[in-house]
């Protein structure tokens, strides 16, 4: 849980780097910035090198977690090793991002690996705790929705990656009209940046509607399962806030606080839905096991 919390903070700190224009504030693709491990933390260096220092902290926590899992949980040893490998991959992608001056492909992959890493940490935490208290009937009902919950989680992740792809192709303010672009749902002969911008908008609408529909079904079926119902109930609230923040990003020309909040809610939705996937799959296994014993 400590590593998850630190990683979440790392993601938020990372979310400040691009909107503050600090991505290349430290020219070296290494642990140092302007030749120092602890340079003067002002301007863009505060965001860029602050992100690196936070990443180093998460790396140290992950080393400790991997060692603990290796010594105490034989069944989770290789998950710990896999999480450490993802941290190494993520650090390498960050270095390549700086070395090659922000290529969109590497920057977007950097974002994706970050989401996969925190997802793996949640899975490890899930495996090391007791099952959530829920009635057998609630677990059985929710287990029938496992596939829908999994698809919804996948779509939320895809939308986050699409947002990163848009941002790293310079499309964050490609359209200053909202919700349509010059009165059109989809501009013709648009440059790539504008196409990605509009795709992020409309895919977001579709993903939001789908997630709310599935969340509604989960809320109805999870009677007797408080934690699952809370996450389902939180979904429409988070989506409404996310839409509001997205619109404010455009209307107020991408203020840093709004952009970071928008990213934070997106990560929060991914964590919520991935946790729901794990809970539903555990319920499905439990239900199938009960059926076999019967």
């Amino acid at each position: 849980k400590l590593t998850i919390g630190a990683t979440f903070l790392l993601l938020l700190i990372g979310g400040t780097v691009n909107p503050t224009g600090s991505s290349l504030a430290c020219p070296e693709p290494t642990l140092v910035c302007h030749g120092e491990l602890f340079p003067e933390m002002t301007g863009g260096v505060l965001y860029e090198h602050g992100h690196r220092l936070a990443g180093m902290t998460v790396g140290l926590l992950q080393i400790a977690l991997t060692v603990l899992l290796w010594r105490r949980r034989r069944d989770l040893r290789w998950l710990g090793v896999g999480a450490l490998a993802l941290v190494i991959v993520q650090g390498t992608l960050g270095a390549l991002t700086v070395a090659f001056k922000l290529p969109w492909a590497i920057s977007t992959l950097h974002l994706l690996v970050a989401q996969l890493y925190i997802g793996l940490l949640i899975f490890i935490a899930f495996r090391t705790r007791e099952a959530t208290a829920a009635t057998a009937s609630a677990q059985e009902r929710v287990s029938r929705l496992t596939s829908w919950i999994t698809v919804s989680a996948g779509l939320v992740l895809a939308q986050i990656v699409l947002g990163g792809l848009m941002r790293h192709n310079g499309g964050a303010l490609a359209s200053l009209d909202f919700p349509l672009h010059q009165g059109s749902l989809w501009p013709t002969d648009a440059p790539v940046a504008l196409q990605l911008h509009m795709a992020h908008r409309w895919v977001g609408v579709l993903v939001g509607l789908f997630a709310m529909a599935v969340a509604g079904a989960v809320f109805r079926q999870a009677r007797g399962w408080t934690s699952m119902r809370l996450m389902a109930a939180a979904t429409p609230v988070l989506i409404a806030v996310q839409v509001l923040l997205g619109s404010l990003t455009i209307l107020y020309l991408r203020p840093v606080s709004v952009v970071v909040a928008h990213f934070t809610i997106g990560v929060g939705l991914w964590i919520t839905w991935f946790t729901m996937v794990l809970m539903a799959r555990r319920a499905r296994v439990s239900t199938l096991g009960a059926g076999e014993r019967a």
Side-chain angles (χ1 to χ4, degrees):
K1 290 178 180 178
L2 176 63
T3 309
I4 290 172
T7 302
F8 186 74
L9 289 176
L10 173 61
L11 288 171
L12 302 193
I13 295 169
T16 67
V17 175
N18 181 274
T20 58
S22 307
S23 300
L24 296 177
C26 297
E28 303 98 329
T30 58
L31 300 180
V32 299
C33 181
H34 299 292
E36 299 180 59
L37 182 58
F38 297 104
E40 184 178 353
M41 301 295 279
T42 58
V45 173
L46 173 65
Y47 300 101
E48 168 63 3
H49 198 60
H51 180 52
R52 294 185 185 185
L53 294 175
M56 284 185 256
T57 302
V58 169
L60 293 173
L61 286 171
Q62 181 56 58
I63 291 171
L65 176 59
T66 300
V67 171
L68 287 170
L69 289 171
W70 191 268
R71 294 180 62 184
R72 300 183 183 181
R73 290 294 300 264
R74 290 180 177 272
D75 58 325
L76 301 179
R77 280 182 170 184
W78 292 106
L79 286 178
V81 172
L84 181 58
L86 278 181
V87 169
I88 294 171
V89 169
Q90 184 71 336
T92 302
L93 289 171
L96 292 174
T97 297
V98 174
F100 292 99
K101 310 300 182 186
L102 312 180
W104 65 264
I106 295 177
S107 297
T108 305
L109 185 58
H110 187 64
L111 172 66
L112 174 59
V113 172
Q115 308 310 311
L116 296 178
Y117 173 62
I118 199 168
L120 181 54
L121 288 179
I122 291 168
F123 180 61
I124 292 171
F126 193 80
R127 289 283 302 276
T128 58
R129 70 182 183 90
E130 297 292 332
T132 304
T135 63
S137 58
Q139 291 190 65
E140 182 179 0
R141 290 192 300 270
V142 171
S143 68
R144 300 171 190 157
L145 298 171
T146 301
S147 296
W148 292 104
I149 295 171
T150 303
V151 170
S152 188
L155 290 174
V156 168
L157 177 60
Q159 173 66 357
I160 291 174
V161 174
L162 179 57
L165 187 62
M166 172 199 70
R167 181 172 65 250
H168 296 304
N169 276 277
L173 293 177
S175 173
L176 300 181
D177 300 321
F178 187 85
L180 304 178
H181 175 73
Q182 297 180 353
S184 173
L185 282 171
W186 192 271
T188 57
D189 299 324
V192 172
L194 180 54
Q195 291 183 41
L196 290 171
H197 180 102
M198 298 306 293
H200 184 58
R201 284 192 197 183
W202 299 124
V203 171
V205 170
L206 296 176
V207 170
L209 291 173
F210 184 88
M212 286 193 292
V214 176
V218 171
F219 186 83
R220 290 190 298 272
Q221 298 300 324
R223 295 184 304 277
W225 196 347
T226 303
S227 55
M228 183 67 90
R229 293 196 95 191
L230 285 174
M231 285 187 286
T235 292
V237 177
L238 291 174
I239 290 174
V241 173
Q242 187 73 329
V243 171
L244 174 62
L245 291 170
S247 61
L248 292 176
T249 298
I250 297 168
L251 295 175
Y252 290 95
L253 303 179
R254 208 172 178 234
V256 174
S257 59
V258 175
V259 173
V260 174
H262 186 63
F263 179 67
T264 301
I265 297 296
V267 175
L269 276 166
W270 162 238
I271 291 173
T272 298
W273 277 93
F274 187 68
T275 303
M276 290 171 67
V277 168
L278 297 178
M279 294 171 68
R281 289 188 174 277
R282 175 177 279 181
R284 187 172 186 176
V285 170
S286 178
T287 300
L288 292 174
E292 290 176 358
R293 288 193 297 271

